[in-house]
């Protein structure tokens, strides 16, 4: 793991107490940390806390004659490998989005060429406010800036909703899993979620896929520098920042959307979707009525999107997923061989709390001649590691 020089910006918010733990974790991981506080932050936590934890003087003023004698703000901007602002308040986000340089932290952000990561923290109504969202949209379109979080849940003010800063542990892990640039210039197409196969106008066949694994991978691939198209079955997740989402409903729609996206240009194709293997032979025009004690539906096989893309004459690097309840390795590697894949990610969905519709997963990745197991982790955490492994395997396969 590469040691980084991290400039931690702390702005005014109750979540500033988590930043003290963040400094401790970053230092423990071997990084150098310098802290810049805004005047608002000092209302919540004292500079001395950060000085003691970082072992470095804390800077808080742009007009500090001593520090600025050596052009301290420019020196700080050049020193940092990463500028991490946690918590990033609504006020700071507004000032950054508009290019302001009216205190030390915004000035350093204007002067640095290092990546800038924001971990927003604010009340849920402030987060949802149209002006905040407009400012966030400006920052999301800025290649130098990444947003990590926020989480949703209980807030210090008693409200519940989006706006909680990510936990210090989660931010520190993401710093170490920083994949920035590993997929630079690559075009990645990902399928996610379930498909719905209509029986009649009000009923369908589907499954419990939530799309979380595919959306986490799309966010991680984008963060690694890829241009990402996410072909999504019906889910209730927000589009990851900077990712183009194309909504589909049925397995046939998914195949058509995937063929189009791959025709447009695709280096890596990742299929996390749980596609219905069969669909009703006919879709009734009107709602079916109860008649007998039992009823039968004639089902026909759906097309296989992943096998179709992998079977092309000049296929992209293809990664499949396999959700299995038993003989996981056997079934997963069999699927990899039958579908002619470069890699397959197996999850044992017989285990409670992982796989379908959960926030966590436990996976083993197989490729011809090798495998790697990953411990139980959040889908976001696994997505970062998978993106790195996919980038490495693809490079090795290309060089072989
Ligand atoms: O969405 P989540 O709630 O986060 O859950 C994630 C997940 C459990 C759905 C995901 O991690 C996963 O394992 N997806 C694959 C599910 C599966 O068992 O797929 P399969 O064995 O039916 O298919 C194998 C591979 O072929 C998959 O990559 C699948 O996307 C693809 N496939 C399958 C059938 C089909 N008609 N078209 C396909 O592209």
């Amino acid at each position: 793991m590469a040691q980084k020089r991290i400039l931690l910006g702390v702005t005014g918010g109750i979540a500033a107490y988590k930043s003290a733990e963040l400094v401790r974790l970053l230092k423990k991981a071997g990084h150098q940390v310098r802290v810049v506080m805004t005047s608002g932050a000092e209302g919540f936590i004292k500079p001395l806390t950060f000085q003691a934890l970082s072992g470095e003087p804390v800077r808080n003023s742009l007009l500090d004659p001593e520090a600025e004698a050596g052009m301290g703000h420019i020196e700080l901007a050049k020193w940092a490998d990463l500028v991490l602002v946690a918590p990033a308040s609504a006020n700071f986000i507004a000032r950054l989005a508009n290019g302001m340089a009216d205190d030390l932290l915004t000035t350093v952000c204007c002067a640095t060429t290092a990546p800038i990561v924001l971990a927003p923290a604010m009340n849920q109504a402030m987060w949802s406010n149209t002006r905040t969202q407009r400012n966030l949209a400006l920052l999301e379109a800025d290649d130098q800036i990444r947003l990590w979080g926020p989480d949703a849940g209980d807030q210090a003010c008693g409200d519940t909703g989006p706006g909680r800063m990510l936990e210090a542990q989660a931010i520190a892990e993401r710093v170490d899993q920083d994949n920035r640039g590993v997929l630079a210039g690559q075009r990645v197409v990902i399928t996610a979620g379930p498909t719905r196969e209509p029986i009649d106008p009000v009923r369908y066949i589907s499954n419990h896929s939530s799309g979380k694994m595919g959306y986490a991978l799309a966010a991680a691939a984008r963060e690694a520098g890829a241009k990402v198209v996410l072909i999504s079955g019906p889910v209730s997740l927000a589009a990851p920042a900077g990712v183009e989402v194309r909504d589909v409903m049925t397995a046939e729609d998914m195949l058509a959307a995937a063929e189009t996206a791959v025709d447009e240009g695709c280096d890596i194709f990742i299929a996390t979707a749980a596609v219905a293997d069969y669909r009703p032979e006919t879709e009734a025009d009107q709602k079916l009525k109860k008649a007998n004690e039992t009823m039968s539906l004639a089902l026909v096989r759906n097309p296989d999107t992943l096998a179709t893309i992998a079977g092309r004459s000049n296929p992209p690097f293809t990664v499949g997923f396999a959700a299995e309840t038993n003989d996981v390795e056997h079934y997963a590697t069999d699927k990899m061989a039958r579908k002619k894949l470069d890699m397959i990610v197996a999850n044992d969905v017989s285990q409670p709390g992982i796989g379908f519709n959960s926030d966590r997963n436990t996976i083993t990745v197989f490729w011809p001649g090798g495998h790697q197991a990953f411990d139980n982790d959040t889908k976001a955490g696994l997505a970062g590691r998978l993106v790195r492994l996919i980038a490495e395997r693809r490079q090795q396969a290309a060089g072989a």
Side-chain angles (χ1 to χ4, degrees):
M1 184 192 65
Q3 190 197 53
K4 292 194 175 77
R5 292 193 301 259
I6 300 170
L7 183 82
L8 177 66
V10 183
T11 74
I14 184 63
Y17 79 92
K18 295 185 188 175
S19 312
E21 173 68 356
L22 180 56
V23 175
R24 194 186 69 76
L25 292 170
L26 294 171
K27 290 283 290 179
K28 193 171 158 212
H31 303 296
Q32 289 182 57
V33 182
R34 290 188 187 173
V35 177
V36 168
M37 297 177 76
T38 63
S39 55
E42 288 187 48
F44 291 89
I45 190 163
K46 294 274 175 259
L48 195 59
T49 307
F50 292 115
Q51 181 175 309
L53 290 166
S54 68
E56 299 274 353
V58 172
R59 292 282 315 271
N60 45 15
S61 170
L62 179 59
L63 304 175
D64 175 341
E66 201 180 313
E68 288 305 315
M71 293 300 278
H73 65 285
I74 301 295
E75 187 267 325
L76 272 177
K78 286 187 176 157
W79 173 84
D81 293 326
L82 172 70
V83 176
L84 171 60
V85 184
S89 65
N91 178 48
F92 176 78
I93 285 169
R95 289 188 293 128
L96 187 68
N98 289 287
M100 307 276 287
D102 58 349
D103 66 3
L104 180 60
L105 187 55
T106 46
T107 305
V108 168
C109 287
C110 271
T112 191
T113 53
I116 300 171
V117 169
L118 307 181
M122 67 196 74
N123 164 268
Q124 53 81 25
M126 292 173 74
W127 173 258
S128 307
N129 180 283
T130 48
R131 282 157 327 259
T132 306
Q133 287 299 317
R134 188 185 58 208
N135 292 331
L136 288 163
L138 283 174
L139 295 174
E140 278 169 357
D142 184 329
D143 278 346
Q144 194 184 3
I145 291 171
R146 289 281 178 274
L147 294 176
W148 288 358
D151 264 346
D154 293 341
Q155 302 201 305
C157 54
D159 283 5
T160 303
R164 280 168 58 94
M165 188 172 103
L166 293 183
E167 293 304 325
Q169 181 77 42
I171 296 175
E173 280 174 10
R174 283 182 80 159
V175 167
D176 288 338
Q177 290 163 9
D178 191 357
N179 285 336
R180 186 173 288 260
V182 300
L183 291 181
Q186 303 292 303
R187 289 157 306 178
V188 177
V189 178
I190 299 175
T191 68
T195 62
R196 276 186 194 167
E197 311 299 330
I199 297 170
D200 67 16
V202 296
R203 302 182 181 94
Y204 54 80
I205 297 172
S206 191
N207 59 65
H208 293 293
S209 168
S210 62
K212 287 177 185 170
M213 191 70 240
Y215 275 60
L217 265 172
R222 167 76 187 123
E223 212 162 293
K227 180 180 180 307
V228 184
V229 173
L230 179 60
I231 298 168
S232 175
V235 298
S236 47
L237 298 173
V243 168
E244 183 188 342
V245 179
R246 298 183 186 173
D247 293 318
V248 296
M249 197 59 80
T250 66
E252 289 179 305
D253 297 342
M254 187 167 273
L255 173 63
E259 297 255 45
T260 303
V262 173
D263 286 344
E264 289 165 1
C266 171
D267 302 294
I268 299 171
F269 185 83
I270 309 174
T272 71
V275 186
D277 288 322
Y278 293 90
R279 66 179 183 280
E281 189 170 27
T282 53
E283 178 187 349
D285 291 339
Q286 293 183 332
K287 186 180 167 197
L288 294 174
K289 296 291 175 202
K290 286 188 283 291
N292 304 315
E293 280 308 306
T294 60
M295 77 173 282
S296 303
L297 273 178
L299 302 178
V300 293
R301 271 299 275 275
N302 264 330
D304 190 314
T305 296
L306 176 60
T308 307
I309 300 299
R312 285 183 163 211
S313 56
N314 187 17
F317 188 86
T318 47
V319 182
F321 270 68
E324 307 293 347
T325 53
N326 57 301
D327 290 337
V328 176
E329 176 171 352
H330 168 72
Y331 286 120
T333 50
D334 179 60
K335 268 179 199 168
M336 177 169 69
R338 267 191 296 113
K339 299 194 185 196
K340 300 192 176 68
L341 308 180
D342 295 294
M343 280 173 82
I344 195 151
V345 182
N347 22 209
D348 182 349
V349 291
S350 68
Q351 305 292 317
I354 65 165
F356 281 90
N357 198 16
S358 103
D359 291 327
R360 302 186 73 86
N361 213 350
T362 308
I363 57 174
T364 304
V365 187
F366 297 93
W367 58 89
H371 72 278
Q372 184 170 345
F374 293 90
D375 287 342
N376 182 277
D377 196 356
T378 60
K379 286 180 177 172
L382 286 171
R385 288 189 205 132
L386 257 178
V387 158
R388 195 175 311 186
L389 182 61
I390 289 169
E392 280 168 18
R393 289 296 320 150
R394 178 163 179 271
Q395 221 169 19
Q396 279 168 21

